[in-house]
């Protein structure tokens, strides 16, 4: 298991865990980051990532991406 920030562009993995406080978890869940969902990194610049998740493209900053654990 590793944070989403460790993936390179083009890599796909499944979300194993979303950590952080209640507000952070709820925010990420509303964007589609829920356990068991496949996520593909489109690009990663300076830790900030753009991902494809549930047929949508979402951009999140490095701090938020660190809360998403994938395997």
């Amino acid at each position: 298991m590793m944070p989403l920030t460790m993936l390179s562009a083009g890599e796909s993995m499944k979300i194993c865990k979303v950590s952080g406080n209640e507000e952070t978890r709820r925010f990420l869940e509303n964007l589609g980051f829920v356990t068991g969902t496949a996520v593909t990194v489109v690009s990663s610049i300076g830790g900030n990532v753009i991902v494809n998740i549930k047929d949508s493209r979402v951009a999140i900053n490095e701090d938020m991406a660190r809360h998403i654990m994938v395997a």
Side-chain angles (χ1 to χ4, degrees), residues 26-40:
R26 192 176 309 118
F27 174 76
L28 290 170
E29 185 178 292
N30 288 338
L31 289 176
F33 294 94
V34 292
T35 304
T37 304
V39 61
T40 304

Side-chain angles (χ1 to χ4, degrees), residues 7 12-17 34-39 68-71:
L7 295 183
S12 282
M13 289 198 166
K14 284 201 185 273
I15 297 172
C16 295
K17 179 182 174 187
V34 292
T35 304
T37 304
V39 61
I68 303 165
M69 303 301 279
V70 296

